[in-house]
Amino acid sequence: GAGVSQSPSNKVTEKGKDVELRCDPISGHTALYWYRQRLGQGLEFLIYFQGNSAPDKSGLPSDRFSAERTGESVSTLTIQRTQQEDSAVYLCAIYGTSGGPRYGTGELFFGEGSRLTVL
Amino acid sequence: RKEVEQDPGPFNVPEGATVAFNCTYSNSASQSFFWYRQDCRKEPKLLMSVYSSGNEDGRFTAQLNRASQYISLLIRDSKLSDSATYLCVVLPSGGSYIPTFGRGTSLIVHP
């Protein structure tokens, strides 16, 4: 999606391996989200970064999941010791447009996602 | 009860038909409401915001009923290109900027 690049687009891994997913938003957006979407399901909130504030990690499903973000730049989502139930599309999103974030409007711009398959 | 609930469908309608989707939410203090569209194997994209007084954008009309805690989306004169999943999204009050997504309603428009 416009303004958010995610990599890899597809990742196949074996159960028990660690994976790292990357989100690279255009500059100037302090709010960044990770969501997960399992096949045929809705979007499940994982984590929210807002500037230099402590991230809201309330959606992370287990301690195998962690995410980092440095300033207003790249974010990485790491899944350790992957399980088959981790198979999903992982979506990164920012608020607003290239003109700047529009907090509270609910308008998220998503990347195209990273499709993770755990065998 | 889930925070945001939608009938998953699918709704299978002919071109030109009018179709309506509803979505219910559990948090009465929710402040903002939206409809997103998601095409198969694509990311969600904002379709329209939902205002208290109701709003229209071409063939699409969105309405909010706070008393009954539901929002609706009406699509008139359906096109083949309207085939997609429509996601109901709710933004809670209290300063949380974490939108909650419904599971989505699948629409299939056939010739």
Side-chain angles (χ1 to χ4, degrees), chain A residues 1 33 35 37 40 42 45 48 56 95 104-108 110-112 115, chain B residues 31-32 34 36 38 41 43-44 46 49 87 91 97-103:
Chain A
Y33 302 76
Y35 283 84
Q37 187 172 32
F45 166 72
Y48 164 50
D56 183 330
Y95 254 132
T105 67
E107 183 172 3
L108 296 180
F110 287 87
E112 294 184 352
R115 184 175 301 275
Chain B
Q31 64 175 16
S32 303
F34 312 86
Y36 277 67
Q38 185 173 27
R41 300 178 74 86
E43 73 274 20
L46 181 67
S49 301
L87 305 172
L91 190 64
Y97 295 114
I98 300 174
T100 300
F101 286 74
R103 182 180 170 182

PDB file of all heavy atoms in Angstrom, chain A residues 1 33 35 37 40 42 45 48 56 95 104-108 110-112 115, chain B residues 31-32 34 36 38 41 43-44 46 49 87 91 97-103:
ATOM      1  N   GLY A   1       0.811  -1.202   0.000  1.00  0.00           N
ATOM      2  CA  GLY A   1       0.000   0.000   0.000  1.00  0.00           C
ATOM      3  C   GLY A   1       0.849   1.258   0.000  1.00  0.00           C
ATOM      4  O   GLY A   1       2.009   1.240   0.398  1.00  0.00           O
ATOM      5  N   TYR A  33       1.117   0.517  13.523  1.00  0.00           N
ATOM      6  CA  TYR A  33       0.388  -0.636  14.061  1.00  0.00           C
ATOM      7  C   TYR A  33       0.820  -1.919  13.358  1.00  0.00           C
ATOM      8  O   TYR A  33       1.151  -1.912  12.176  1.00  0.00           O
ATOM      9  CB  TYR A  33      -1.115  -0.485  13.790  1.00  0.00           C
ATOM     10  CG  TYR A  33      -1.761   0.745  14.358  1.00  0.00           C
ATOM     11  CD1 TYR A  33      -1.573   1.973  13.753  1.00  0.00           C
ATOM     12  CD2 TYR A  33      -2.568   0.674  15.492  1.00  0.00           C
ATOM     13  CE1 TYR A  33      -2.179   3.115  14.266  1.00  0.00           C
ATOM     14  CE2 TYR A  33      -3.176   1.803  16.004  1.00  0.00           C
ATOM     15  CZ  TYR A  33      -2.976   3.014  15.394  1.00  0.00           C
ATOM     16  OH  TYR A  33      -3.573   4.144  15.897  1.00  0.00           O
ATOM     17  N   TYR A  35      -1.049  -5.670  12.767  1.00  0.00           N
ATOM     18  CA  TYR A  35      -2.231  -6.511  12.882  1.00  0.00           C
ATOM     19  C   TYR A  35      -1.899  -7.868  12.273  1.00  0.00           C
ATOM     20  O   TYR A  35      -0.998  -7.995  11.428  1.00  0.00           O
ATOM     21  CB  TYR A  35      -3.418  -5.916  12.110  1.00  0.00           C
ATOM     22  CG  TYR A  35      -4.127  -4.763  12.777  1.00  0.00           C
ATOM     23  CD1 TYR A  35      -3.647  -3.460  12.647  1.00  0.00           C
ATOM     24  CD2 TYR A  35      -5.295  -4.959  13.516  1.00  0.00           C
ATOM     25  CE1 TYR A  35      -4.317  -2.395  13.249  1.00  0.00           C
ATOM     26  CE2 TYR A  35      -5.967  -3.900  14.110  1.00  0.00           C
ATOM     27  CZ  TYR A  35      -5.465  -2.622  13.965  1.00  0.00           C
ATOM     28  OH  TYR A  35      -6.137  -1.559  14.560  1.00  0.00           O
ATOM     29  N   GLN A  37      -3.875 -11.274  10.386  1.00  0.00           N
ATOM     30  CA  GLN A  37      -5.119 -11.755   9.785  1.00  0.00           C
ATOM     31  C   GLN A  37      -4.949 -13.205   9.371  1.00  0.00           C
ATOM     32  O   GLN A  37      -4.219 -13.510   8.416  1.00  0.00           O
ATOM     33  CB  GLN A  37      -5.523 -10.906   8.582  1.00  0.00           C
ATOM     34  CG  GLN A  37      -6.908 -11.265   8.028  1.00  0.00           C
ATOM     35  CD  GLN A  37      -7.387 -10.306   6.957  1.00  0.00           C
ATOM     36  OE1 GLN A  37      -6.605  -9.745   6.201  1.00  0.00           O
ATOM     37  NE2 GLN A  37      -8.697 -10.097   6.877  1.00  0.00           N
ATOM     38  N   GLY A  40      -9.453 -16.270   6.377  1.00  0.00           N
ATOM     39  CA  GLY A  40     -10.893 -16.222   6.591  1.00  0.00           C
ATOM     40  C   GLY A  40     -11.329 -15.509   7.850  1.00  0.00           C
ATOM     41  O   GLY A  40     -12.513 -15.534   8.207  1.00  0.00           O
ATOM     42  N   GLY A  42     -10.912 -11.972  10.686  1.00  0.00           N
ATOM     43  CA  GLY A  42     -10.748 -10.522  10.710  1.00  0.00           C
ATOM     44  C   GLY A  42      -9.352 -10.132  11.148  1.00  0.00           C
ATOM     45  O   GLY A  42      -8.496 -10.978  11.399  1.00  0.00           O
ATOM     46  N   PHE A  45      -5.523  -7.078  16.349  1.00  0.00           N
ATOM     47  CA  PHE A  45      -4.516  -6.101  16.776  1.00  0.00           C
ATOM     48  C   PHE A  45      -3.388  -6.798  17.527  1.00  0.00           C
ATOM     49  O   PHE A  45      -3.628  -7.655  18.386  1.00  0.00           O
ATOM     50  CB  PHE A  45      -5.171  -5.050  17.660  1.00  0.00           C
ATOM     51  CG  PHE A  45      -4.190  -4.209  18.424  1.00  0.00           C
ATOM     52  CD1 PHE A  45      -3.422  -3.255  17.765  1.00  0.00           C
ATOM     53  CD2 PHE A  45      -4.012  -4.374  19.785  1.00  0.00           C
ATOM     54  CE1 PHE A  45      -2.508  -2.482  18.458  1.00  0.00           C
ATOM     55  CE2 PHE A  45      -3.102  -3.605  20.488  1.00  0.00           C
ATOM     56  CZ  PHE A  45      -2.346  -2.662  19.821  1.00  0.00           C
ATOM     57  N   TYR A  48       0.993  -1.416  18.999  1.00  0.00           N
ATOM     58  CA  TYR A  48       0.835  -0.036  18.529  1.00  0.00           C
ATOM     59  C   TYR A  48       1.996   0.794  19.061  1.00  0.00           C
ATOM     60  O   TYR A  48       2.256   0.802  20.272  1.00  0.00           O
ATOM     61  CB  TYR A  48      -0.504   0.494  19.035  1.00  0.00           C
ATOM     62  CG  TYR A  48      -0.727   1.993  18.992  1.00  0.00           C
ATOM     63  CD1 TYR A  48      -0.484   2.731  17.841  1.00  0.00           C
ATOM     64  CD2 TYR A  48      -1.231   2.660  20.103  1.00  0.00           C
ATOM     65  CE1 TYR A  48      -0.724   4.089  17.809  1.00  0.00           C
ATOM     66  CE2 TYR A  48      -1.478   4.029  20.072  1.00  0.00           C
ATOM     67  CZ  TYR A  48      -1.228   4.739  18.919  1.00  0.00           C
ATOM     68  OH  TYR A  48      -1.477   6.089  18.882  1.00  0.00           O
ATOM     69  N   ASP A  56       1.978   0.002  22.992  1.00  0.00           N
ATOM     70  CA  ASP A  56       0.860  -0.762  23.533  1.00  0.00           C
ATOM     71  C   ASP A  56       0.976  -2.186  22.993  1.00  0.00           C
ATOM     72  O   ASP A  56       0.698  -2.434  21.828  1.00  0.00           O
ATOM     73  CB  ASP A  56      -0.461  -0.117  23.096  1.00  0.00           C
ATOM     74  CG  ASP A  56      -1.687  -0.811  23.693  1.00  0.00           C
ATOM     75  OD1 ASP A  56      -1.620  -2.041  23.945  1.00  0.00           O
ATOM     76  OD2 ASP A  56      -2.711  -0.149  23.873  1.00  0.00           O
ATOM     77  N   TYR A  95      -1.159   5.800  10.373  1.00  0.00           N
ATOM     78  CA  TYR A  95      -2.275   6.731  10.285  1.00  0.00           C
ATOM     79  C   TYR A  95      -2.000   7.788   9.225  1.00  0.00           C
ATOM     80  O   TYR A  95      -0.872   8.198   9.047  1.00  0.00           O
ATOM     81  CB  TYR A  95      -2.441   7.469  11.609  1.00  0.00           C
ATOM     82  CG  TYR A  95      -3.599   7.030  12.440  1.00  0.00           C
ATOM     83  CD1 TYR A  95      -3.428   6.770  13.782  1.00  0.00           C
ATOM     84  CD2 TYR A  95      -4.864   6.890  11.899  1.00  0.00           C
ATOM     85  CE1 TYR A  95      -4.488   6.360  14.572  1.00  0.00           C
ATOM     86  CE2 TYR A  95      -5.925   6.490  12.674  1.00  0.00           C
ATOM     87  CZ  TYR A  95      -5.733   6.216  14.018  1.00  0.00           C
ATOM     88  OH  TYR A  95      -6.774   5.816  14.789  1.00  0.00           O
ATOM     89  N   GLY A 104      -6.893   9.820  15.458  1.00  0.00           N
ATOM     90  CA  GLY A 104      -8.275   9.746  15.849  1.00  0.00           C
ATOM     91  C   GLY A 104      -9.255   9.648  14.712  1.00  0.00           C
ATOM     92  O   GLY A 104     -10.441   9.531  14.933  1.00  0.00           O
ATOM     93  N   THR A 105      -8.752   9.664  13.483  1.00  0.00           N
ATOM     94  CA  THR A 105      -9.695   9.587  12.370  1.00  0.00           C
ATOM     95  C   THR A 105     -10.014   8.148  11.997  1.00  0.00           C
ATOM     96  O   THR A 105     -10.984   7.905  11.297  1.00  0.00           O
ATOM     97  CB  THR A 105      -9.111  10.259  11.117  1.00  0.00           C
ATOM     98  OG1 THR A 105      -7.990   9.498  10.664  1.00  0.00           O
ATOM     99  CG2 THR A 105      -8.698  11.684  11.413  1.00  0.00           C
ATOM    100  N   GLY A 106      -9.186   7.234  12.459  1.00  0.00           N
ATOM    101  CA  GLY A 106      -9.420   5.835  12.127  1.00  0.00           C
ATOM    102  C   GLY A 106      -8.956   5.446  10.758  1.00  0.00           C
ATOM    103  O   GLY A 106      -9.102   4.297  10.358  1.00  0.00           O
ATOM    104  N   GLU A 107      -8.390   6.386  10.010  1.00  0.00           N
ATOM    105  CA  GLU A 107      -7.975   6.054   8.656  1.00  0.00           C
ATOM    106  C   GLU A 107      -6.570   5.487   8.680  1.00  0.00           C
ATOM    107  O   GLU A 107      -5.593   6.236   8.782  1.00  0.00           O
ATOM    108  CB  GLU A 107      -8.040   7.270   7.742  1.00  0.00           C
ATOM    109  CG  GLU A 107      -7.672   6.931   6.292  1.00  0.00           C
ATOM    110  CD  GLU A 107      -7.922   8.082   5.349  1.00  0.00           C
ATOM    111  OE1 GLU A 107      -8.327   9.158   5.815  1.00  0.00           O
ATOM    112  OE2 GLU A 107      -7.702   7.898   4.143  1.00  0.00           O
ATOM    113  N   LEU A 108      -6.496   4.202   8.593  1.00  0.00           N
ATOM    114  CA  LEU A 108      -5.208   3.526   8.554  1.00  0.00           C
ATOM    115  C   LEU A 108      -4.816   3.214   7.117  1.00  0.00           C
ATOM    116  O   LEU A 108      -5.659   2.848   6.307  1.00  0.00           O
ATOM    117  CB  LEU A 108      -5.264   2.215   9.334  1.00  0.00           C
ATOM    118  CG  LEU A 108      -5.532   2.298  10.833  1.00  0.00           C
ATOM    119  CD1 LEU A 108      -5.553   0.912  11.431  1.00  0.00           C
ATOM    120  CD2 LEU A 108      -4.480   3.150  11.515  1.00  0.00           C
ATOM    121  N   PHE A 110      -2.495   0.658   5.109  1.00  0.00           N
ATOM    122  CA  PHE A 110      -1.826  -0.610   5.321  1.00  0.00           C
ATOM    123  C   PHE A 110      -0.771  -0.880   4.265  1.00  0.00           C
ATOM    124  O   PHE A 110      -0.904  -0.472   3.102  1.00  0.00           O
ATOM    125  CB  PHE A 110      -2.843  -1.757   5.272  1.00  0.00           C
ATOM    126  CG  PHE A 110      -3.741  -1.846   6.459  1.00  0.00           C
ATOM    127  CD1 PHE A 110      -4.911  -1.123   6.516  1.00  0.00           C
ATOM    128  CD2 PHE A 110      -3.404  -2.659   7.538  1.00  0.00           C
ATOM    129  CE1 PHE A 110      -5.747  -1.202   7.622  1.00  0.00           C
ATOM    130  CE2 PHE A 110      -4.238  -2.751   8.640  1.00  0.00           C
ATOM    131  CZ  PHE A 110      -5.409  -2.032   8.685  1.00  0.00           C
ATOM    132  N   GLY A 111       0.255  -1.615   4.684  1.00  0.00           N
ATOM    133  CA  GLY A 111       1.144  -2.222   3.725  1.00  0.00           C
ATOM    134  C   GLY A 111       0.454  -3.435   3.119  1.00  0.00           C
ATOM    135  O   GLY A 111      -0.654  -3.805   3.519  1.00  0.00           O
ATOM    136  N   GLU A 112       1.139  -4.060   2.159  1.00  0.00           N
ATOM    137  CA  GLU A 112       0.527  -5.205   1.483  1.00  0.00           C
ATOM    138  C   GLU A 112       0.624  -6.484   2.304  1.00  0.00           C
ATOM    139  O   GLU A 112       0.053  -7.503   1.925  1.00  0.00           O
ATOM    140  CB  GLU A 112       1.169  -5.386   0.105  1.00  0.00           C
ATOM    141  CG  GLU A 112       0.860  -4.213  -0.825  1.00  0.00           C
ATOM    142  CD  GLU A 112       1.393  -4.413  -2.223  1.00  0.00           C
ATOM    143  OE1 GLU A 112       2.134  -5.381  -2.466  1.00  0.00           O
ATOM    144  OE2 GLU A 112       1.065  -3.577  -3.095  1.00  0.00           O
ATOM    145  N   ARG A 115       2.966 -12.556   4.247  1.00  0.00           N
ATOM    146  CA  ARG A 115       2.232 -13.818   4.413  1.00  0.00           C
ATOM    147  C   ARG A 115       3.179 -14.861   4.985  1.00  0.00           C
ATOM    148  O   ARG A 115       4.153 -15.242   4.325  1.00  0.00           O
ATOM    149  CB  ARG A 115       1.670 -14.277   3.071  1.00  0.00           C
ATOM    150  CG  ARG A 115       0.809 -15.540   3.150  1.00  0.00           C
ATOM    151  CD  ARG A 115       0.184 -15.849   1.785  1.00  0.00           C
ATOM    152  NE  ARG A 115      -0.651 -14.741   1.323  1.00  0.00           N
ATOM    153  CZ  ARG A 115      -1.912 -14.558   1.658  1.00  0.00           C
ATOM    154  NH1 ARG A 115      -2.524 -15.422   2.460  1.00  0.00           N
ATOM    155  NH2 ARG A 115      -2.589 -13.521   1.196  1.00  0.00           N
TER     156      ARG A 115
ATOM    157  N   GLN B  31     -16.350   6.041  19.710  1.00  0.00           N
ATOM    158  CA  GLN B  31     -16.520   7.399  19.216  1.00  0.00           C
ATOM    159  C   GLN B  31     -16.522   7.537  17.705  1.00  0.00           C
ATOM    160  O   GLN B  31     -17.134   8.480  17.181  1.00  0.00           O
ATOM    161  CB  GLN B  31     -15.427   8.292  19.783  1.00  0.00           C
ATOM    162  CG  GLN B  31     -14.020   7.921  19.348  1.00  0.00           C
ATOM    163  CD  GLN B  31     -12.985   8.923  19.850  1.00  0.00           C
ATOM    164  OE1 GLN B  31     -13.246   9.709  20.745  1.00  0.00           O
ATOM    165  NE2 GLN B  31     -11.812   8.882  19.273  1.00  0.00           N
ATOM    166  N   SER B  32     -15.850   6.657  17.008  1.00  0.00           N
ATOM    167  CA  SER B  32     -15.741   6.819  15.562  1.00  0.00           C
ATOM    168  C   SER B  32     -15.942   5.478  14.881  1.00  0.00           C
ATOM    169  O   SER B  32     -15.579   4.432  15.421  1.00  0.00           O
ATOM    170  CB  SER B  32     -14.366   7.375  15.186  1.00  0.00           C
ATOM    171  OG  SER B  32     -14.111   8.597  15.828  1.00  0.00           O
ATOM    172  N   PHE B  34     -16.222   3.304  10.902  1.00  0.00           N
ATOM    173  CA  PHE B  34     -15.741   3.334   9.523  1.00  0.00           C
ATOM    174  C   PHE B  34     -16.116   2.047   8.818  1.00  0.00           C
ATOM    175  O   PHE B  34     -16.303   1.003   9.448  1.00  0.00           O
ATOM    176  CB  PHE B  34     -14.210   3.468   9.489  1.00  0.00           C
ATOM    177  CG  PHE B  34     -13.691   4.553  10.388  1.00  0.00           C
ATOM    178  CD1 PHE B  34     -13.432   4.298  11.724  1.00  0.00           C
ATOM    179  CD2 PHE B  34     -13.492   5.833   9.899  1.00  0.00           C
ATOM    180  CE1 PHE B  34     -12.977   5.303  12.552  1.00  0.00           C
ATOM    181  CE2 PHE B  34     -13.039   6.844  10.726  1.00  0.00           C
ATOM    182  CZ  PHE B  34     -12.784   6.571  12.056  1.00  0.00           C
ATOM    183  N   TYR B  36     -14.309  -0.298   5.862  1.00  0.00           N
ATOM    184  CA  TYR B  36     -13.163  -0.561   5.014  1.00  0.00           C
ATOM    185  C   TYR B  36     -13.552  -1.631   4.011  1.00  0.00           C
ATOM    186  O   TYR B  36     -14.434  -2.453   4.262  1.00  0.00           O
ATOM    187  CB  TYR B  36     -11.971  -1.083   5.839  1.00  0.00           C
ATOM    188  CG  TYR B  36     -11.131  -0.020   6.503  1.00  0.00           C
ATOM    189  CD1 TYR B  36     -11.648   0.769   7.533  1.00  0.00           C
ATOM    190  CD2 TYR B  36      -9.815   0.196   6.103  1.00  0.00           C
ATOM    191  CE1 TYR B  36     -10.871   1.740   8.134  1.00  0.00           C
ATOM    192  CE2 TYR B  36      -9.033   1.167   6.708  1.00  0.00           C
ATOM    193  CZ  TYR B  36      -9.571   1.929   7.725  1.00  0.00           C
ATOM    194  OH  TYR B  36      -8.798   2.896   8.320  1.00  0.00           O
ATOM    195  N   GLN B  38     -11.889  -4.762   1.639  1.00  0.00           N
ATOM    196  CA  GLN B  38     -10.706  -5.602   1.428  1.00  0.00           C
ATOM    197  C   GLN B  38     -10.961  -6.549   0.265  1.00  0.00           C
ATOM    198  O   GLN B  38     -11.869  -7.385   0.321  1.00  0.00           O
ATOM    199  CB  GLN B  38     -10.363  -6.398   2.691  1.00  0.00           C
ATOM    200  CG  GLN B  38      -9.071  -7.184   2.564  1.00  0.00           C
ATOM    201  CD  GLN B  38      -8.637  -7.843   3.861  1.00  0.00           C
ATOM    202  OE1 GLN B  38      -9.457  -8.150   4.721  1.00  0.00           O
ATOM    203  NE2 GLN B  38      -7.327  -8.053   4.022  1.00  0.00           N
ATOM    204  N   ARG B  41      -6.945 -11.235  -0.976  1.00  0.00           N
ATOM    205  CA  ARG B  41      -5.490 -11.272  -0.863  1.00  0.00           C
ATOM    206  C   ARG B  41      -4.850  -9.877  -0.967  1.00  0.00           C
ATOM    207  O   ARG B  41      -3.688  -9.747  -1.373  1.00  0.00           O
ATOM    208  CB  ARG B  41      -4.880 -12.224  -1.885  1.00  0.00           C
ATOM    209  CG  ARG B  41      -5.366 -13.661  -1.728  1.00  0.00           C
ATOM    210  CD  ARG B  41      -4.778 -14.565  -2.779  1.00  0.00           C
ATOM    211  NE  ARG B  41      -3.378 -14.868  -2.525  1.00  0.00           N
ATOM    212  CZ  ARG B  41      -2.957 -15.864  -1.748  1.00  0.00           C
ATOM    213  NH1 ARG B  41      -3.824 -16.634  -1.139  1.00  0.00           N
ATOM    214  NH2 ARG B  41      -1.657 -16.083  -1.583  1.00  0.00           N
ATOM    215  N   GLU B  43      -4.640  -5.739   1.003  1.00  0.00           N
ATOM    216  CA  GLU B  43      -4.785  -5.078   2.278  1.00  0.00           C
ATOM    217  C   GLU B  43      -6.097  -4.299   2.345  1.00  0.00           C
ATOM    218  O   GLU B  43      -6.635  -3.879   1.320  1.00  0.00           O
ATOM    219  CB  GLU B  43      -3.583  -4.139   2.517  1.00  0.00           C
ATOM    220  CG  GLU B  43      -3.580  -2.864   1.685  1.00  0.00           C
ATOM    221  CD  GLU B  43      -2.961  -3.041   0.308  1.00  0.00           C
ATOM    222  OE1 GLU B  43      -2.868  -4.190  -0.175  1.00  0.00           O
ATOM    223  OE2 GLU B  43      -2.608  -2.013  -0.288  1.00  0.00           O
ATOM    224  N   PRO B  44      -6.620  -4.061   3.545  1.00  0.00           N
ATOM    225  CA  PRO B  44      -7.843  -3.255   3.677  1.00  0.00           C
ATOM    226  C   PRO B  44      -7.589  -1.797   3.307  1.00  0.00           C
ATOM    227  O   PRO B  44      -6.503  -1.269   3.534  1.00  0.00           O
ATOM    228  CB  PRO B  44      -8.177  -3.367   5.171  1.00  0.00           C
ATOM    229  CG  PRO B  44      -7.372  -4.501   5.688  1.00  0.00           C
ATOM    230  CD  PRO B  44      -6.140  -4.569   4.853  1.00  0.00           C
ATOM    231  N   LEU B  46      -9.688   2.159   3.364  1.00  0.00           N
ATOM    232  CA  LEU B  46     -10.842   2.900   3.855  1.00  0.00           C
ATOM    233  C   LEU B  46     -11.846   3.135   2.734  1.00  0.00           C
ATOM    234  O   LEU B  46     -11.506   3.649   1.675  1.00  0.00           O
ATOM    235  CB  LEU B  46     -10.396   4.238   4.438  1.00  0.00           C
ATOM    236  CG  LEU B  46     -11.514   5.106   5.011  1.00  0.00           C
ATOM    237  CD1 LEU B  46     -12.129   4.455   6.245  1.00  0.00           C
ATOM    238  CD2 LEU B  46     -10.996   6.509   5.341  1.00  0.00           C
ATOM    239  N   SER B  49     -16.014   6.930   6.155  1.00  0.00           N
ATOM    240  CA  SER B  49     -16.296   7.137   7.571  1.00  0.00           C
ATOM    241  C   SER B  49     -17.811   7.129   7.758  1.00  0.00           C
ATOM    242  O   SER B  49     -18.568   7.295   6.802  1.00  0.00           O
ATOM    243  CB  SER B  49     -15.720   8.464   8.037  1.00  0.00           C
ATOM    244  OG  SER B  49     -14.325   8.506   7.834  1.00  0.00           O
ATOM    245  N   LEU B  87     -15.360  -4.448   5.841  1.00  0.00           N
ATOM    246  CA  LEU B  87     -14.972  -4.529   7.246  1.00  0.00           C
ATOM    247  C   LEU B  87     -15.529  -3.343   8.013  1.00  0.00           C
ATOM    248  O   LEU B  87     -15.337  -2.190   7.614  1.00  0.00           O
ATOM    249  CB  LEU B  87     -13.443  -4.530   7.374  1.00  0.00           C
ATOM    250  CG  LEU B  87     -12.681  -5.595   6.581  1.00  0.00           C
ATOM    251  CD1 LEU B  87     -11.182  -5.330   6.653  1.00  0.00           C
ATOM    252  CD2 LEU B  87     -12.988  -6.967   7.128  1.00  0.00           C
ATOM    253  N   LEU B  91     -13.534   2.819  16.517  1.00  0.00           N
ATOM    254  CA  LEU B  91     -12.463   3.436  17.285  1.00  0.00           C
ATOM    255  C   LEU B  91     -13.021   3.804  18.652  1.00  0.00           C
ATOM    256  O   LEU B  91     -13.982   4.570  18.746  1.00  0.00           O
ATOM    257  CB  LEU B  91     -11.951   4.683  16.569  1.00  0.00           C
ATOM    258  CG  LEU B  91     -10.676   5.340  17.089  1.00  0.00           C
ATOM    259  CD1 LEU B  91      -9.505   4.386  16.929  1.00  0.00           C
ATOM    260  CD2 LEU B  91     -10.415   6.632  16.354  1.00  0.00           C
ATOM    261  N   TYR B  97      -6.163   5.007  20.387  1.00  0.00           N
ATOM    262  CA  TYR B  97      -6.175   5.116  18.926  1.00  0.00           C
ATOM    263  C   TYR B  97      -5.947   3.756  18.293  1.00  0.00           C
ATOM    264  O   TYR B  97      -5.191   3.638  17.338  1.00  0.00           O
ATOM    265  CB  TYR B  97      -5.110   6.120  18.491  1.00  0.00           C
ATOM    266  CG  TYR B  97      -5.408   7.513  18.969  1.00  0.00           C
ATOM    267  CD1 TYR B  97      -4.585   8.136  19.896  1.00  0.00           C
ATOM    268  CD2 TYR B  97      -6.513   8.209  18.507  1.00  0.00           C
ATOM    269  CE1 TYR B  97      -4.858   9.420  20.343  1.00  0.00           C
ATOM    270  CE2 TYR B  97      -6.798   9.478  18.945  1.00  0.00           C
ATOM    271  CZ  TYR B  97      -5.962  10.084  19.864  1.00  0.00           C
ATOM    272  OH  TYR B  97      -6.239  11.349  20.296  1.00  0.00           O
ATOM    273  N   ILE B  98      -6.608   2.757  18.822  1.00  0.00           N
ATOM    274  CA  ILE B  98      -6.469   1.412  18.290  1.00  0.00           C
ATOM    275  C   ILE B  98      -7.797   0.985  17.701  1.00  0.00           C
ATOM    276  O   ILE B  98      -8.716   0.596  18.426  1.00  0.00           O
ATOM    277  CB  ILE B  98      -6.018   0.418  19.381  1.00  0.00           C
ATOM    278  CG1 ILE B  98      -4.672   0.862  19.955  1.00  0.00           C
ATOM    279  CG2 ILE B  98      -5.913  -0.986  18.800  1.00  0.00           C
ATOM    280  CD1 ILE B  98      -4.210   0.033  21.128  1.00  0.00           C
ATOM    281  N   PRO B  99      -7.943   1.080  16.386  1.00  0.00           N
ATOM    282  CA  PRO B  99      -9.195   0.657  15.749  1.00  0.00           C
ATOM    283  C   PRO B  99      -9.408  -0.840  15.894  1.00  0.00           C
ATOM    284  O   PRO B  99      -8.475  -1.625  15.774  1.00  0.00           O
ATOM    285  CB  PRO B  99      -8.980   1.048  14.282  1.00  0.00           C
ATOM    286  CG  PRO B  99      -7.904   2.079  14.304  1.00  0.00           C
ATOM    287  CD  PRO B  99      -7.016   1.691  15.442  1.00  0.00           C
ATOM    288  N   THR B 100     -10.666  -1.206  16.153  1.00  0.00           N
ATOM    289  CA  THR B 100     -11.049  -2.616  16.231  1.00  0.00           C
ATOM    290  C   THR B 100     -11.816  -2.986  14.976  1.00  0.00           C
ATOM    291  O   THR B 100     -12.787  -2.316  14.618  1.00  0.00           O
ATOM    292  CB  THR B 100     -11.916  -2.874  17.467  1.00  0.00           C
ATOM    293  OG1 THR B 100     -11.169  -2.533  18.638  1.00  0.00           O
ATOM    294  CG2 THR B 100     -12.321  -4.344  17.547  1.00  0.00           C
ATOM    295  N   PHE B 101     -11.402  -4.068  14.346  1.00  0.00           N
ATOM    296  CA  PHE B 101     -12.004  -4.501  13.085  1.00  0.00           C
ATOM    297  C   PHE B 101     -12.986  -5.641  13.320  1.00  0.00           C
ATOM    298  O   PHE B 101     -12.719  -6.562  14.097  1.00  0.00           O
ATOM    299  CB  PHE B 101     -10.916  -4.989  12.124  1.00  0.00           C
ATOM    300  CG  PHE B 101     -10.101  -3.893  11.512  1.00  0.00           C
ATOM    301  CD1 PHE B 101      -9.150  -3.210  12.254  1.00  0.00           C
ATOM    302  CD2 PHE B 101     -10.276  -3.546  10.180  1.00  0.00           C
ATOM    303  CE1 PHE B 101      -8.400  -2.185  11.690  1.00  0.00           C
ATOM    304  CE2 PHE B 101      -9.530  -2.539   9.596  1.00  0.00           C
ATOM    305  CZ  PHE B 101      -8.593  -1.854  10.356  1.00  0.00           C
ATOM    306  N   GLY B 102     -14.108  -5.586  12.608  1.00  0.00           N
ATOM    307  CA  GLY B 102     -14.977  -6.743  12.534  1.00  0.00           C
ATOM    308  C   GLY B 102     -14.376  -7.777  11.603  1.00  0.00           C
ATOM    309  O   GLY B 102     -13.408  -7.504  10.893  1.00  0.00           O
ATOM    310  N   ARG B 103     -14.981  -8.940  11.603  1.00  0.00           N
ATOM    311  CA  ARG B 103     -14.472 -10.032  10.779  1.00  0.00           C
ATOM    312  C   ARG B 103     -14.710  -9.787   9.292  1.00  0.00           C
ATOM    313  O   ARG B 103     -14.018 -10.342   8.444  1.00  0.00           O
ATOM    314  CB  ARG B 103     -15.155 -11.330  11.215  1.00  0.00           C
ATOM    315  CG  ARG B 103     -14.690 -12.546  10.466  1.00  0.00           C
ATOM    316  CD  ARG B 103     -15.413 -13.785  10.963  1.00  0.00           C
ATOM    317  NE  ARG B 103     -15.147 -14.916  10.081  1.00  0.00           N
ATOM    318  CZ  ARG B 103     -15.674 -16.118  10.236  1.00  0.00           C
ATOM    319  NH1 ARG B 103     -16.483 -16.353  11.229  1.00  0.00           N
ATOM    320  NH2 ARG B 103     -15.379 -17.084   9.400  1.00  0.00           N
TER     321      ARG B 103
END
